[in-house]
Structures are given as C-alpha cells and as structure tokens.
Amino acid sequence: MSSSPLSKKRRLSGTETKTGSHCSSSNSVRTDLSYTPANGMAKNGNDAEIDEGLYSRQLYVLGHEAMRRMQNSNVLISGMRGLGVEIAKNVILGGVKSVTVHDEGLAEWRDLSSQFYLREEDLGKNRAQVSQPRLAELNNYVPVDAYTGALTQDFLTKFQVVVLTNSTLDEQTALGDFCHSKGINFIVADTRGLFGQLFCDFGDKMTVFDTNGEQPLSAMISMITKDNPGVVTCLDEARHGFESGDYVTFTEVQGMSELNGCKPVEIKVLGPYTFSICDTSGFTDYVRGGIVSQVKMSKTIRFKSFSSSLAEPEFVMTDFGKFDHPGQLHLAFQALHVFQKKHSRLPAPWSQTDGDELLTLAKGVNSTQTGSVKVEKLDEALIKKFSFVSPGDLVPMAAFIGGQAAQEVMKAITGKFMPVRQWLYFDALECLAEEEGATLTEEQCAPRNCRYDGQIAVFGTEMQEKLAKQRYFLVGAGAIGCELLKNFAMIGLASGEGEVIVTDMDTIEKSNLNRQFLFRPSDVTKMKSDTAAAAVKQMNPSIRITSHQNRVGPETEKVYDDDFFESLDGVANALDNVDARMYMDRRCVYYRKPLLESGTLGTKGNVQVVIPFLTESYSSSQDPPEKSIPICTLKNFPNAIEHTLQWARDEFEGLFKQPPENAMQYLCDPTKFMERTVKLPGAQPAEVLEAVYKSLVTDCPRSWEDCVSWARNHWQCQYSNNIRQLLHNFSPDQVTSSGAPFWSGPKRCPHPLKFSTNNELHMDYVIAAANLYAQTYGLQGSTDRAKVIKILEEVKVPEFTPRSGVKIHVSDQELQNSNPSVDDSRLEELQGQLASTETSEFKLCPIEFEKDDDTNFHMDFIVAASNLRAENYDIPPADRHKSKLIAGKIIPAIATTTAAVVGLVGMELYKIVQGHKKIESYKNGFMNLALPFFAFSEPIAAPKHKYYEIDWTLWDRFEVTGMLPNGEEMTLKEFLAYFKNEHKLEITMLSQGVSMLYSFFMPAAKLKDRLEIPMTEIVTKVSKKKLGKHVKALVFELCCNDDTDEDVEVPYVRYTIR
C-alpha cells in the first residue's frame, strides 16, 4: 500500500550538524538538526551529492541535473496560513538548499482549519515561528528559517524564488516588479474558500530544458529514402510515437552513415510508422538497420512582470467546462483586494450586503480595464458566491493550489517542465448545495472561535456536524494515505461520533520520507498506519482514528465483514496496485458505499469518484494490460536495455529464489513434492527435478571458494558459451529463406565475452553472484576482491564446443508449437538419485528480491548481469539508478502531485458528505503538472441493462432471504421456483464464485439429488469450504431465460442466510 510493495528496514543515524545561515536578521529563527545520512553524504550546496536512498522516487521524476539545481536554491515563502505551509512542506520535501518562511501575523482560530502545523495552544503566536521547527523536521538536508520582519528589497535579493501567499495587491505589485527587475523568480498563490489563484513570473528569459517530462522515444528503422525530404520508415512492431516538430538523431544506420550522430533533425510525422526528415538526396544509399532517437530540445520563454501581466493576462485553463471563469475571477480577486483595503477585513461569510458591495467593486475594476482583461458582462452570481465564501480557508483547496505552486517553484529553479503562463484560476463551486438558489445565512457561517471556523465560513455548522459523524475506511497509509489523513484531520472528519479506520501492512522505509510527510527518520521500520494515525492526532486531537495492519482481500473478510462495511459512510483508496483497487471496488459496489479513488505517476495524477446508483465503478473501465516482452526476445534476441534487465531479474529468480524454494519443499515432504512435480506440463517435471538435484548434489557448495567457482562458471555459461552456441546455430552472415539477413531489424547479432579479473564489471558479477549463492546455503560471503581474484586463478573452467542439433526457437509461436518430449527414463533416474541423497543437514534460504537495500548484492547482481548481456548484444548499458527503476518496477513519485491530487479528493468528499444527488455535481479529474494540463469531467453514469421492462445497473441485485417462514432454509428446487414465480425467469445456470451449483445440462441423477438440498449445503459441498460465522449472505451469479426462451442478462443475487 506504500509507493513500493517491497520493504526495506534501514535506520538513519548521525552527528553532522548543519551550519551557516543566509539569513542573519534578528527577526529570524532556525532549528539546527544534526544528521549524517547513512551514505556519508555531503550537505546541500555546489558540491553536494544526492541521497538516492531518500530522493529515489523523486529522482525518477526530476532527474539528477534538476535535483542539483534545486540544491543550490534558496526559497522564500511568505504567509504561513494553510496555503503557505502546504507550499513550504512540498518544497522542503523536494530538497532545495534552504527555505525561509515569513509571516508578520499571529495565529488565529480560522487558521486552524487548514494550517496543519498550528495547534490550539499556538493561538496568538507568530505563525512563521511556530511552523518553522515543525517544517524543519520534514527534511534534514534543508535548513528552515523563520523571518518575522518586513519584506525589504534588500532581504529579497538573498533568494532565487520568492512566493507570496496571503498578501495584498500592493505588495504583489511592488515586490513582483522588483523581483522581475532583479531576475528573481516570483510566484503569487492565494486561496479564498472554494477559489484558488496562482501567478508565475520567471523572468525575461527562462530556459525550459524538458517541456513535458516524458522519456525520449526511440524506434528501429526499416527504410530511409534518398529524397528531399527523406522519408524514414520504422519497423512495424510498434508505432514510433513521435509528433511533428520533434527532433531526432540516428545511430547504427548502415549505408546512409551521414545520419549517424548527426545534429538533431526536426521531423514531420507522415503516419504511425513514417516521418520525413532533412534532404537526404545527396547521402549514401541506405542499406539496413539503424535506431532513431528523440532528442529533448530546450525552449526559451519570456514572462511579463506582475503589473504588466495583471493588465494583459494569459490564462491556463483548469476546467474547460468553465471557459469564462478565469477572466471573471481575475477581476473578482482584484475587487477583493480593493474591499480589504477599504474595510481592513474580508467580506463576512454569506453576507448579502458585502456580496453586493464586492459586485459593485468588481464592476468598477472592470470599467477601468482596457484590452483583453475587460469582460463584456460580469457573471454576477459567480462574483457574489466568490464574496460569500472568500473568508473561508479550506485544506483541500490549499492542498490543490499548494501542490501546484510548489511544482512551479521547482520549475523556476530547474527549468524542468513547462511553467504556468502566467495566471491560473480554479474553483470548486460544485461543493456547495445543489439546489438552485440555495444559500446559507450569515448566522450559520459566522465564526465560532473553533478550529473549523475557516470551513464553517463556507459550508455552515450543519455540515461540520455531519463531518464529525462520518465513519470512513482508508486503505493505505503511503503517500496518498498520509495526505488524505492530514486533510481528514483538518476538516474534522470523524471528530465527533465518527471514526476513521486506516489499514496498511507496510513498514516505513527511508525512500518513503521524501513524500510520505507524516513520517520522520526515527520512524523507519515502524508500521505506517500506527505512525500516520499518531501524527494526525497531533494535528487535530479530536479525530477518532484506529490503525490496522491488515492487507485487504478475501483473507481478511472475517475482519472487514458485513457489519464492518455496513457501518461505513464511505471508503477512500490509497493503494499502489490495480488488484487491491479492484477488490475494494467490488466490496464498495456490493455494500453500496461511495469510493474515492486516486493515483499518481510522477507529475500525472487522477481522481475518480464512485457513487452508488449514480456512477460506473472503478472496475467498469480498465487500462489495457502492459505489453509483455516475448520469451524468445528475452532468451536470445534482446534489442533494448529493458530486455536485458528483465532477463537479469528472471536470472535472479531462477538462481536464488526458485531452486532453494523447490529444494526445501522437496526436503520437507519428498512424496508430495514428487506427486505435484510429475503433473507439471511438458518438460517441466524433468527441469524442476534437475534443478533440485543440482541444488542438493552437483552444485551444492561446501565453502566460499565453491561459491566463487560456481559464479565464475555460470558467467562463462551465460556470456560466452550460450552466445557461441547461438552463433553456431545462426552464424553472423546467415540469411532467411527470403534471402534477407537473419541478424537484422530487431535481431542484433551478439558476440561472446572473454572473462578478465581486470574487468570491473566481470568482477562485480562474480562477487554479487557468489555472495547471493553463499546466502542461499547459509555460507559466509566476502567482498575482498584481491582474495576473490586469488580464488579465481585456481578455478577450472571446462572447455566448450558448440554442439549441432541444439534447437533454438526464433519466435514465441515456434516455441508454443514445439512439443518437448518427456524423457521418462531420465525422470526415473532423477527420482532415484534424489531418493538416495543424504539431505538431513540441509537448510536452503530462498532470496526475495529487494531493490532498495544497497548492501544486499541484489541490485549489484542485476546491474552486472544486465550490462554484461547488453555488452553481448552491443546495447548501451544502464547505470544503477536507471536499472533500479526498470528492474524494480518503481513508480516515479513526487510530493507536489500527491498533494494536488488529494486536494481534489477532498473536494469530492465534501459533496459525498452533503449527499449530492446529481452526477454533474461530481468531478473525475486528471492532471499533468509538467505540462501543465488539467481535465475534469462528470463521472460516467452506471451503464443500464434491461430484462422485460425492468432497467438495472451494476448497483442493483435480487435480494433473496434464504430462511423460509417455516424456519427451514430454501432448497435448490425452491430457489429455482422462486425465480420462475416471482420474476418469470428460468435459471439455466447458477454459480457461487468458481463453484457451479446448478446447470440445465447437469446429469439427471445428480440434479435429482441436488434439488432437495438446502442452498448453503450445496455451496459447502461443491466448494469444499465451510461457511465462516461472519458470512451473512452469499452472492450467486445467474444465467436466465425469459418467458420467450431467450437469454437475458440479469443482476446478481444476494442470498441472505443470517
């Protein structure tokens, strides 16, 4: 349920003290934290290394170069209300050189609705000073200062980025224009109730090095014409994926060698497999081969200053369904500043008088405008709603705008991704009551001097009481889970009679700390759910929260049973895999509970809301399955580093996990193991027994020297002998039946390697493989290279001669069509040899692959094994960082996206709690902060089906009570008759799970017996499983005919037994 399903248990410790401050004002404070990273890393600064253990998931989003730029940047964030602290949190987690938080104001009640680092005892204290030590704990690499003085021009020159929140228009104009003149990146962010605003100015000349954050594409070439322009055709294995305007370069082209290593060429796409390039008419004739690779080109962007852009704004659209809102809100925010300046306060919540005045001010602002900013007609209803909720302060809105603003800080520093140009407005008015013209009163929304004042200002007290009574199940306490819990605590969810139940079976790892912000270095190895629950209790002591460590699935249905689900108001998923998401989706459909579903991938994020009887469910639509690599490509014909890395992962499993597992199963119960093994298809029985015999007899090491010898011989086999055999079968100049070269297109001709103790990579492989092999047998390993070289000098490597008659499959189709024969005599021989082996002393330990521990040899082996195979096939190698991403199937992640996505989830939660009934009130959202791009749509309605004149959706079912009035349970005969009489449906097939209970083609004798048996008895008899005491009802699936004998699709049956 964390961002990584694999668990790494490693503590952080240390003594290094961070010193030096760029802020010497008497108004500033700092907490010094002592910390030495586990790898002895340097502090942030020019020569800083990057702690890959901490930043690994973020590095896959930003890259090392961008991270280095961040480590040289000082950031000022002004305004420590909810939005300011959210931005600061995300920027600090990101890993800049330093952060200074600024505020001249004191904490008040309304701040507590969104400022998660303020507590009730902090009321009356300076917000920056209180927040600073709590923010400083987020990342020991980032010094955090608090500054409480005025923002002078001299002070601002210390920073590369200045962010203003909770500021006046006069401050924004003066400081914005000053920053523009000095080349300081400038951001304004603001939230007012259900409205958000973001402005960016990154100077006259900003260079964006990567405009979209996507990995550069590459494709294999089948033809290039000599023409003006030349046309490139790619192999039709997969579409090239390029777009017109992209730049590409070429390698490995035979014939038209002028293209190899050429400067990037702009292309024009002609079709899914073709595109045109430059004039190739004067080049040499194309012969064959070649790889075309996309090149990321930098782009220079010019920003206007704040005052210029205020008068002539450019807008980023956040919701295409509200096309006119940005222009209207641009004026509304300016009118709000005028109102504040005039009255020294915000409009009162839901005050009609103040709303009318703000509308008049907005009209005045509009009348003074010239050019594109002036609107023909003000949307009076929108402006008044803006006034009504503007004193509100909501944590979901702060999270959404704060996540984006922090990403813009990173863009300004790094040039990574396309910035917001230059204004972004967002509103979530759908969160308000659905009824046309529904308004709250000033009394309902007036401040109560309580921590929810900022939220009551928008939704009133009744909504606050509803929130307090909610009972929610949160599945997962990783990155999304932490953000959700923070939002739950701040909005007062389950702060009264309700309860939040959070479950996660994972422990905290170092790599989690970069975005799972409720955890600290001292929490590493503790349970996520317990730690997260305790952390949000600190934020709001009123939240009633219970933490579990259970995996959700059929095995925990005794815990999460009918009573549990029926008591819930809703479920929020914070999961990292599709199977668990689909399981929870099925449970929510069955129990008819709302589900909040969300996910992130780097800078991309999505939110889906599932509402009973209204929307489709999460499982209603699925992404296509990931394309798997063909077996023959992996075994013999790799052409990309992904292929060699997958091969290395398969090697790891096939050497250090499966053989010890099989051997231990054999040792525990030889008879059962043999029975199971001989039933395996094809040649598998012999292969498995051969591997067990090798593990226990022929390849069983007695010493470290034996392990080194095994590793050296395995190296020889994989990187020399097998390649020589392949080249014996298919020589480098081999041609196919059509006369084309065999080694062409996706087939790269390999060459064998020659082992050398002077070759670092060869030695890396032997040391990693020998240590892993030693671990499986409980032997002591070693990393002493000199000693290993000494051992290697004594190792005997048998001579190898390629053999004729060895079958190597060229395609997966050929492999499937082959029917490997089982050598029964060899099988019997192996069984006999194993039976006579003395095995009582053995205890083998299978090794589970763990990518995040740099001391366990796992990634050492993967990197060496993959890069050696890449060298065999002349494929460019991958460094450890890239290898870990691919082999470890790591999901790139960054705190900014998580915060923004969970902000949107919070908006949907408001609607669910209020009981919104219209599908158009809800919003599914998708965002990509790198572009930046946002898309919102109403959820898809649950598809309707029909039998007779009855419409039904996935939310409907037949309710059947199993116990009859006479106190006896319904038999199968009575069940069939019930559907015939009550619903005019003839059941032709009836199943429960994978068990077939009845079918029209069942043998007559079997059917006769079964018809008189009660339903639950049939279920236990057929499934061979007892029904647990927690099971209140069973689910039956039906196939039915109507009264015209036609097949009809019908809902499932909920058969109640208790």
Side-chain angles (χ1 to χ4, degrees), residues 238-476:
R239 292 161 179 257
H240 55 61
F242 299 134
E243 294 176 6
S244 292
D246 284 348
Y247 283 78
V248 299
T249 188
F250 297 83
T251 52
E252 300 184 24
V253 175
Q254 294 178 41
M256 202 177 277
S257 55
E258 294 91 341
L259 286 174
N260 288 330
C262 66
K263 283 183 178 173
V265 181
E266 189 175 356
I267 67 166
K268 183 182 176 185
V269 171
L270 304 175
Y273 307 102
T274 55
F275 57 87
S276 62
I277 51 171
C278 54
D279 182 357
T280 58
S281 55
F283 291 177
T284 322
D285 287 354
Y286 173 79
V287 177
R288 78 170 72 90
I291 295 168
V292 56
S293 302
Q294 188 181 20
V295 179
K296 293 261 178 177
M297 304 297 284
S298 60
K299 190 171 182 177
T300 303
I301 300 170
R302 183 180 177 277
F303 288 83
K304 295 177 193 167
S305 67
F306 182 87
S307 55
S308 302
S309 187
L310 189 70
E312 287 290 332
E314 265 183 276
F315 299 122
V316 169
M317 287 303 301
T318 53
D319 189 340
F320 291 94
K322 301 174 178 178
F323 206 76
D324 60 332
H325 281 205
Q328 299 278 343
L329 294 177
H330 192 66
L331 297 169
F333 269 90
Q334 289 179 66
L336 186 68
H337 286 295
V338 177
F339 186 102
Q340 269 185 288
K341 195 172 181 180
K342 182 179 173 184
H343 297 287
S344 299
R345 65 172 176 86
L346 287 163
W350 291 89
S351 161
Q352 293 292 340
T353 311
D354 287 355
D356 290 337
E357 185 180 346
L358 190 82
L359 180 59
T360 305
L361 291 172
K363 286 175 179 173
V365 171
N366 190 38
S367 67
T368 63
Q369 303 296 324
T370 55
S372 63
V373 76
K374 189 167 187 170
V375 298
E376 272 184 48
K377 189 176 186 300
L378 279 177
D379 184 334
E380 297 191 4
L382 178 67
I383 304 289
K384 286 191 79 169
K385 277 182 183 168
F386 176 75
S387 173
F388 295 160
V389 303
S390 63
D393 193 357
L394 303 175
V395 74
M397 185 59 75
F400 180 66
I401 297 293
Q404 291 178 68
Q407 189 68 62
E408 295 306 308
V409 170
M410 296 179 191
K411 292 176 187 178
I413 295 165
T414 64
K416 182 90 176 176
F417 312 140
M418 190 58 78
V420 164
R421 287 187 290 171
Q422 285 186 258
W423 292 91
L424 178 149
Y425 287 97
F426 177 76
D427 72 79
L429 284 174
E430 300 81 11
C431 295
L432 294 174
E434 286 182 305
E435 300 77 37
E436 198 62 48
T439 59
L440 294 161
T441 64
E442 283 188 64
E443 173 50 34
Q444 287 172 306
C445 302
R448 278 13 184 210
N449 284 346
C450 79
R451 67 174 303 125
Y452 309 115
D453 277 357
Q455 189 164 267
I456 289 169
V458 177
F459 296 114
T461 49
E462 198 181 312
M463 167 71 157
Q464 199 57 53
E465 288 160 14
K466 280 184 185 174
L467 284 164
K469 293 175 184 169
Q470 294 294 301
R471 186 173 157 83
Y472 256 76
F473 186 28
L474 171 59
V475 190

Side-chain angles (χ1 to χ4, degrees), residues 653-781:
E653 300 290 311
L655 293 172
F656 312 120
K657 183 170 182 273
Q658 286 158 3
E661 249 173 28
N662 287 340
M664 284 312 292
Q665 283 172 12
Y666 170 77
L667 293 175
C668 291
D669 194 335
T671 313
K672 256 192 180 165
F673 181 79
M674 284 296 183
E675 282 172 9
R676 269 202 323 269
T677 304
V678 293
K679 288 177 187 167
L680 291 170
Q684 281 185 50
E687 286 170 8
V688 170
L689 291 185
E690 198 85 62
V692 170
Y693 187 68
K694 272 185 170 183
S695 294
L696 298 177
V697 185
T698 52
D699 286 358
C700 176
R702 304 289 172 190
S703 64
W704 167 239
E705 286 76 9
D706 287 350
C707 296
V708 173
S709 175
W710 172 86
R712 170 66 184 89
N713 276 291
H714 195 71
W715 187 100
Q716 192 68 21
C717 180
Q718 297 294 43
Y719 304 109
S720 179
N721 300 355
N722 288 354
I723 301 297
R724 286 168 64 198
Q725 181 66 55
L726 183 62
L727 290 171
H728 177 77
N729 281 41
F730 308 107
S731 63
D733 52 5
Q734 176 126 352
V735 291
T736 63
S737 54
S738 63
F742 177 85
W743 295 105
S744 63
K747 291 190 179 71
R748 300 174 71 87
C749 186
H751 64 272
L753 305 182
K754 192 167 171 27
F755 186 83
S756 167
T757 53
N758 296 323
N759 188 308
E760 288 259 329
L761 192 57
H762 297 189
M763 288 300 295
D764 287 348
Y765 179 90
V766 168
I767 286 171
N771 273 284
L772 289 167
Y773 204 62
Q775 281 173 34
T776 62
Y777 287 91
L779 297 169
Q780 185 66 47

Side-chain angles (χ1 to χ4, degrees), residues 604-617:
K604 301 183 184 100
N606 71 285
V607 177
Q608 182 180 355
V609 59
V610 177
I611 306 295
F613 300 103
L614 203 59
T615 71
E616 67 173 14
S617 75

Side-chain angles (χ1 to χ4, degrees), residues 32 153 232 298 318 424 454 539 581 634 849 963 973 984:
D32 282 330
Q153 291 186 352
V232 178
S298 60
T318 53
L424 178 149
M539 293 176 176
R581 283 183 166 113
L634 285 176
F849 178 65
M963 299 311 289
K973 187 178 184 178
K984 297 181 192 161

Side-chain angles (χ1 to χ4, degrees), residues 474-475 480 484 571-575 581 584-585 595-598:
L474 171 59
V475 190
I480 287 175
L484 279 169
V571 175
N573 274 351
L575 291 158
R581 283 183 166 113
M584 284 310 299
D585 179 62
L595 172 66
L596 291 160
E597 172 57 61
S598 55

